[in-house]
Amino acid sequence: MSSNIQVQWSLNSLANWDFVQRIVNAASTDNVQVQAIVACQEVGVNLAIGADIMRKVTQVMIPSPQPTPVKFIRASIGFSPNDSATQLATSLDGVRFLALAAALVPTIKPYASAQVLEILLKQTKLKLTATPPLPHLRDLFGALEARCHQCDFTAIISGYELLLGGILRTPIGETGTGHDFAFPSTEQQNVAKNPVLSGTPSPKSIAGLIDVFRQVARIGESTVTGVTIKIRGAAAWILAFVEWCLGFPASIYVEGHSEPILEQDVETFSIKAIILHPNNKATNTLEAIIHHHHIEDITRLLGSIDKKEIRFMVKIDDYISWLLEDHRFTQYNNKRFNTRMTRMLSEALSYAIPHILALKNDGIGSLCNKNTPARWVRSEVDSVEDLVISPLPPLEVIANVCAKFLKLKRETFRFSNLEGRHISDLPLVKAYLESLDKRCECKKCYQGPSQDKVRAYQCLRRGFFLSLAFIALDIIAYSLLDCPISLRVWKCRDRLRGMDIQKRIASILGPEEKDVRKSKSARGSEGQDESDGDSEREDESYGDSEQEDESNSGGEWEDESDGDRISENGTDKEVDSQIIEVMDIYDWARSLVGHAHIDDEDRSLIMTSAKGQVVYPLIFEALRVETHGYLRLCVRPGVLRYNNSLYDVVSCPETLEYPELMQTYTYPNLTRFGKVTEPKDLHPNFNVSWVAETQDNREIELYMVMKDSKKPSFTVKRNPFDLLHHLSSTLLLQDCSHPGHTKLSEDRDCRYAAPWHDHSNANNSHSSVDIIAIASSDLIRAFALCCTAEPKVLRRTACLECSLRVCWRMPNPIHVLIL
């Protein structure tokens, strides 16, 4: 046992002023009730928790590293060394309770966890306090939630899901139709996961399990020799909870299987779990049979099972394993199948991702430009696209993520160009699609007998491209995350506004649909024998195709041209006609880390704290615009504290009211500066600051505010989130071959303007340019970008003449230049 766990509190310790002070400080830090903390300490004495788990709690859940400062809002992210968890961790009983919370909160949420605890408290003779009200218990679990995610109880659940998934999953259609390699999609889920595997027990059932484990693990003389649990649902959760509480896994048996799935030999007592077949018509009740010496076994009906799909946070490696298995690209403990599918998926993604990145965004340019620094356009043949700011990180970063998802060495994976081909033309992909075509039984594809009786299955070919699009978007979204190794992601397919972009990407990656494919006609002529399908023979057929292209295995192939190059013109007219909204990818990344559905209010979410992590745009830290990655998200473990209080949301209203709108359009009058001749800073009296206003419900409203030191009544307020929206229509000109202070050689059709001025006159002209002269501060430049929705050029150190030339050379001239 870890040395930092102290002896249990004395019953007289309430008389100790130091104890009282510490527990009151802990309650104040988390805004919870002292009574709830004391009650949870007392209930811990009756909990059975494995010794290794208790050690893990003290080593992983309790430490409180120095919080990470968030300078722009003057807040911090992390864990307090004086919170409820650290106070509970000062005793063995408190650590046992924390271990229970670490299993409950990340999976059944704080309220259901409080219901479990309420049942346990009513069964416990409390000596120091009465049973707290349910809302107080819920608040305590809510305060512990961020720390609970650090213990990774969910990793054990994921392991059991992978172990049991191949056995308990019901394939598409009826048994024996050969749909064991289908690709489900968010549009149509035809794969019915066995209800015995998913879900969680009810709070009453969990409390019953805890009581059973208490009897089994009792120290001293006991008549209990073991327990048998009959599982009719939530198998993965229950098996993980057994291992968490008792310190070792149960022996697992599945109804209808002669051999155990997992067998354990424990000297002191036995734990058996029998997973009943989903067709078993028995009641939906969790059942435990406690075995005794010399007396009759006792059967207890513990409670019901909620078979709704469980969602939780996991580490990225566990997520990747689940993702590939859930899309049928891997199978548990099937190395041969997994190797073949990895090679095929590697080939598909090495071409699909560059194809996606070459799509046009909703501003200027494509989603990701060439991996070259923004520079001056030196000649007419050079493209202004080189100056477009990419919302995504450089290609090398995305390629590294792709290799991580495929579990390949980085040096063996390269992006390549389609060069006018389709994904389906690639050798390994083509062979695999042909194998899917043979077993597809959707109404459009099936050409065998009894076509009028074919059910509306998901088309396997369409499902493949939907899955490919989903994984590609996950890879691109993950590349946006700036995070430590402790990052955890949301294990589910739910993506905020994700279905639309997934469908569009899938339609671009997939070939044009054909009414009848030759392979389907061939299948129809082969009759019913082929429809029954010999899976092993079809697998071997796909394997033969791979052998013919052995040189392309493992993602080691590369295009004849530069492998990191993206085609500027796309591959066909369909690509050029597709517009991808960059904020859809941003929302996908927020969904990946479990922060998608914070609320449905009409506002911009700038910073959110949920599920043990705080997320916000990385660009707000320095407000310096770079050539790549302005959509990158900073993800940090912990909770958000501002002025020593906890907050969950930092936002800004989508629509701000400007009571002095007409005044701001005309102030200040810059005509006194005369003609534009050189870069200047015309606003030395203006300064920009972040203004935070605390709200109810642990929320903060945040604004960027411009003020004039010579005119205190003048204020311009902007939504900082507009910066992300407006950068998609911005060109970044870093330098040129001339000194930055070079004056204009002749008069130009341009005028000085303030960031908030109305640019309609310039926009309606042929070549006039409004010049926002604020060269002294990145913060003021960022404010100007928030104010300017129209296309613009952002200058770094280039001369004024070259900057204006960029504005005029665009196919549609740009009329705003930010110095």
Side-chain angles (χ1 to χ4, degrees):
M1 188 61 59
S2 178
S3 60
N4 63 341
I5 299 180
Q6 302 173 9
V7 180
Q8 180 178 339
W9 295 328
S10 166
L11 295 180
N12 297 322
S13 58
L14 278 175
N16 185 295
W17 171 246
D18 180 64
F19 168 80
V20 173
Q21 189 177 38
R22 284 188 288 109
I23 200 170
V24 169
N25 286 342
S28 176
T29 299
D30 286 339
N31 194 24
V32 298
Q33 299 296 317
V34 171
Q35 183 187 32
I37 299 177
V38 175
C40 291
Q41 143 68 24
E42 287 202 73
V43 82
V45 71
N46 293 325
L47 300 177
I49 301 294
D52 289 340
I53 299 303
M54 293 184 65
R55 191 175 301 111
K56 182 176 184 178
V57 167
T58 60
Q59 294 174 352
V60 176
M61 184 176 178
I62 303 307
S64 305
Q66 189 71 20
T68 302
V70 185
K71 295 180 180 179
F72 70 91
I73 194 177
R74 297 185 295 279
S76 64
I77 300 171
F79 301 104
S80 170
N82 303 312
D83 61 8
S84 304
T86 54
Q87 175 60 36
L88 286 165
T90 59
S91 73
L92 289 174
D93 295 341
V95 173
R96 291 190 188 97
F97 168 75
L98 290 175
L100 174 64
L104 299 183
V105 177
T107 54
I108 66 171
K109 310 310 176 194
Y111 185 76
S113 302
Q115 290 178 308
V116 174
L117 183 59
E118 185 180 45
I119 296 173
L120 297 178
L121 288 171
K122 290 179 179 179
Q123 297 171 351
T124 304
K125 293 182 179 179
L126 300 177
K127 300 177 181 179
L128 301 178
T129 184
T131 300
L134 184 63
H136 293 180
L137 299 177
R138 185 257 172 253
D139 290 343
L140 178 59
F141 278 111
L144 297 174
E145 181 177 6
R147 287 187 182 268
C148 288
H149 285 285
Q150 308 301 309
C151 286
D152 293 318
F153 170 70
T154 55
I156 306 177
I157 299 177
S158 296
Y160 281 111
E161 287 180 341
L162 291 175
L163 173 65
L164 301 174
I167 300 171
L168 300 180
R169 180 180 293 111
T170 301
I172 285 181
E174 299 175 359
T175 303
T177 55
H179 283 285
D180 49 340
F181 300 106
F183 293 87
S185 68
T186 52
E187 177 189 21
Q188 181 180 4
Q189 292 281 352
N190 282 324
V191 173
K193 289 188 176 180
N194 191 302
V196 173
L197 180 62
S198 60
T200 58
S202 66
K204 180 181 177 181
S205 300
I206 296 174
L209 275 175
I210 293 171
D211 186 57
V212 169
F213 297 154
R214 178 187 59 80
Q215 297 181 49
V216 171
R218 177 179 296 168
I219 299 175
E221 294 186 4
S222 174
T223 62
V224 177
T225 60
V227 62
T228 298
I229 304 173
K230 292 186 176 180
I231 299 175
R232 296 180 174 89
W237 194 97
I238 293 171
L239 292 171
F241 195 61
V242 169
E243 184 174 341
W244 190 262
C245 293
L246 299 181
F248 56 87
S251 298
I252 305 173
Y253 301 84
V254 175
E255 185 179 23
H257 290 250
S258 57
E259 299 293 331
I261 304 304
L262 183 66
E263 192 168 21
Q264 297 294 327
D265 184 14
V266 182
E267 294 182 359
T268 54
F269 51 83
S270 66
I271 301 293
K272 296 181 180 179
I274 301 176
I275 301 174
L276 302 180
H277 194 276
N279 292 331
N280 190 306
K281 302 301 181 181
T283 180
N284 180 30
T285 303
L286 181 62
E287 182 179 343
I289 303 172
I290 304 175
H291 307 292
H292 291 264
H293 279 300
H294 311 303
I295 62 175
E296 187 176 347
D297 296 342
I298 299 176
T299 300
R300 292 183 56 181
L301 300 179
L302 303 181
S304 61
I305 299 293
D306 181 2
K307 296 185 178 181
K308 185 178 179 181
E309 182 183 4
I310 182 174
R311 299 176 176 183
F312 46 76
M313 303 291 284
V314 295
K315 287 187 175 180
I316 185 61
D317 289 340
D318 293 327
Y319 175 81
I320 292 171
S321 297
W322 166 82
L323 177 71
L324 298 180
E325 190 273 343
D326 196 52
H327 285 270
R328 311 300 181 264
F329 288 121
T330 59
Q331 293 178 354
Y332 181 78
N333 205 26
N334 189 341
K335 185 176 181 180
R336 178 172 174 269
F337 174 84
N338 295 345
T339 300
R340 293 202 316 271
M341 295 301 289
T342 298
R343 292 166 58 194
M344 183 276 298
L345 190 57
S346 176
E347 180 184 62
L349 288 173
S350 67
Y351 288 88
I353 291 180
H355 198 51
I356 295 170
L357 299 181
L359 300 176
K360 294 184 180 300
N361 66 36
D362 52 335
I364 301 174
S366 57
L367 288 177
C368 188
N369 302 307
K370 298 177 184 179
N371 193 15
T372 57
R375 57 177 175 78
W376 168 234
V377 183
R378 294 184 175 88
S379 67
E380 294 296 330
V381 298
D382 288 329
S383 174
V384 177
E385 288 268 337
D386 289 338
L387 307 179
V388 174
I389 304 171
S390 173
L392 306 180
L395 287 176
E396 182 180 355
V397 174
I398 301 174
N400 289 339
V401 173
C402 196
K404 179 181 181 67
F405 269 60
L406 295 173
K407 301 179 181 178
L408 299 173
K409 294 181 179 180
R410 172 61 188 97
E411 58 270 17
T412 66
F413 184 84
R414 291 183 66 89
F415 285 145
S416 303
N417 292 317
L418 283 172
E419 300 295 348
R421 296 175 293 173
H422 285 292
I423 299 292
S424 56
D425 296 329
L426 302 174
L428 302 183
V429 176
K430 181 178 181 180
Y432 188 70
L433 289 176
E434 289 174 352
S435 72
L436 291 181
D437 290 343
K438 293 177 181 178
R439 50 171 71 103
C440 184
E441 293 185 5
C442 73
K443 287 185 175 181
K444 188 172 184 179
C445 298
Y446 184 69
Q447 299 297 317
S450 305
Q451 293 189 33
D452 57 327
K453 298 181 180 180
V454 173
R455 296 171 62 187
Y457 294 126
Q458 164 78 39
C459 176
L460 300 190
R461 176 177 284 256
R462 173 173 169 76
F464 167 78
F465 285 106
L466 285 168
S467 289
L468 185 64
F470 189 96
I471 293 174
L473 287 167
D474 256 10
I475 290 171
I476 294 171
Y478 183 81
S479 72
L480 290 175
L481 305 181
D482 179 87
C483 53
I485 58 174
S486 60
L487 171 74
R488 285 161 178 84
V489 295
W490 189 232
K491 193 178 81 67
C492 77
R493 294 195 186 192
D494 189 16
R495 297 290 184 267
L496 180 62
R497 292 189 288 275
M499 184 177 293
D500 179 62
I501 187 173
Q502 182 190 3
K503 286 181 179 179
R504 284 190 286 142
I505 295 297
S507 66
I508 293 171
L509 297 179
E512 296 182 0
E513 294 292 335
K514 299 180 181 179
D515 293 335
V516 180
R517 299 187 181 95
K518 293 181 180 180
S519 58
K520 306 295 173 58
S521 300
R523 178 178 182 243
S525 64
E526 291 173 3
Q528 186 62 37
D529 290 340
E530 181 64 20
S531 73
D532 291 336
D534 184 341
S535 297
E536 184 63 27
R537 187 175 73 244
E538 291 177 351
D539 288 348
E540 290 294 336
S541 173
Y542 174 55
D544 293 342
S545 298
E546 292 180 338
Q547 295 296 327
E548 295 173 5
D549 273 275
E550 191 67 32
S551 61
N552 283 349
S553 64
E556 298 177 357
W557 57 86
E558 56 188 77
D559 195 71
E560 296 83 355
S561 57
D562 184 3
D564 286 337
R565 184 173 64 86
I566 293 181
S567 173
E568 294 183 13
N569 298 322
T571 58
D572 51 37
K573 293 182 179 180
E574 185 182 40
V575 173
D576 290 337
S577 66
Q578 293 291 334
I579 303 295
I580 301 298
E581 295 186 14
V582 296
M583 297 309 295
D584 284 349
I585 297 178
Y586 176 87
D587 289 337
W588 191 288
R590 284 182 51 84
S591 300
L592 186 60
V593 293
H595 283 232
H597 300 284
I598 299 296
D599 61 30
D600 56 358
E601 297 184 30
D602 186 21
R603 58 182 179 175
S604 301
L605 296 178
I606 297 170
M607 181 181 292
T608 51
S609 175
K611 300 180 176 65
Q613 298 178 144
V614 179
V615 177
Y616 62 93
L618 189 62
I619 194 173
F620 289 155
E621 287 191 346
L623 289 176
R624 181 176 174 84
V625 179
E626 302 294 348
T627 57
H628 286 82
Y630 68 78
L631 285 186
R632 294 187 67 195
L633 282 168
C634 183
V635 185
R636 295 291 180 265
V639 294
L640 177 65
R641 290 187 181 274
Y642 177 75
N643 288 342
N644 295 321
S645 297
L646 293 174
Y647 290 89
D648 297 326
V649 173
V650 178
S651 66
C652 187
E654 290 282 356
T655 303
L656 295 178
E657 296 182 359
Y658 306 114
E660 300 180 1
L661 185 62
M662 296 307 296
Q663 176 185 345
T664 60
Y665 272 173
T666 58
Y667 180 86
N669 184 0
L670 300 179
T671 56
R672 67 181 187 277
F673 291 101
K675 296 180 179 180
V676 175
T677 58
E678 60 184 330
K680 291 182 179 181
D681 187 359
L682 302 182
H683 313 292
N685 303 321
F686 290 90
N687 61 82
V688 175
S689 60
W690 295 91
V691 175
E693 300 175 356
T694 57
Q695 308 292 318
D696 193 12
N697 298 323
R698 296 175 34 148
E699 297 181 0
I700 298 173
E701 285 190 355
L702 184 68
Y703 308 90
M704 292 183 74
V705 177
M706 170 79 81
K707 292 185 176 181
D708 186 350
S709 60
K710 291 187 175 181
K711 187 177 182 181
S713 62
F714 177 80
T715 298
V716 181
K717 184 186 294 186
R718 284 295 182 269
N719 180 354
F721 203 78
D722 286 343
L723 176 63
L724 301 185
H725 291 286
H726 296 170
L727 280 174
S728 64
S729 58
T730 303
L731 298 180
L732 175 61
L733 181 58
Q734 296 209 103
D735 56 24
C736 67
S737 57
H738 314 113
H741 58 273
T742 303
K743 294 185 178 182
L744 292 178
S745 58
E746 56 183 294
D747 289 344
R748 298 294 187 181
D749 185 11
C750 49
R751 66 169 186 132
Y752 291 120
W756 52 87
H757 280 177
D758 181 10
H759 306 297
S760 58
N761 289 336
N763 290 329
N764 293 330
S765 69
H766 176 68
S767 60
S768 179
V769 177
D770 280 359
I771 295 179
I772 301 175
I774 47 172
S776 62
S777 168
D778 284 329
L779 182 59
I780 300 180
R781 281 194 181 98
F783 183 85
L785 287 168
C786 291
C787 296
T788 312
E790 51 265 88
K792 55 207 156 290
V793 172
L794 177 63
R795 165 193 169 272
R796 186 68 54 76
T797 60
C799 73
L800 187 55
E801 180 74 31
C802 292
S803 301
L804 289 170
R805 195 178 304 168
V806 170
C807 295
W808 296 324
R809 283 191 51 194
M810 288 294 293
N812 295 313
I814 293 177
H815 298 283
V816 178
L817 170 61
I818 301 176
L819 297 183

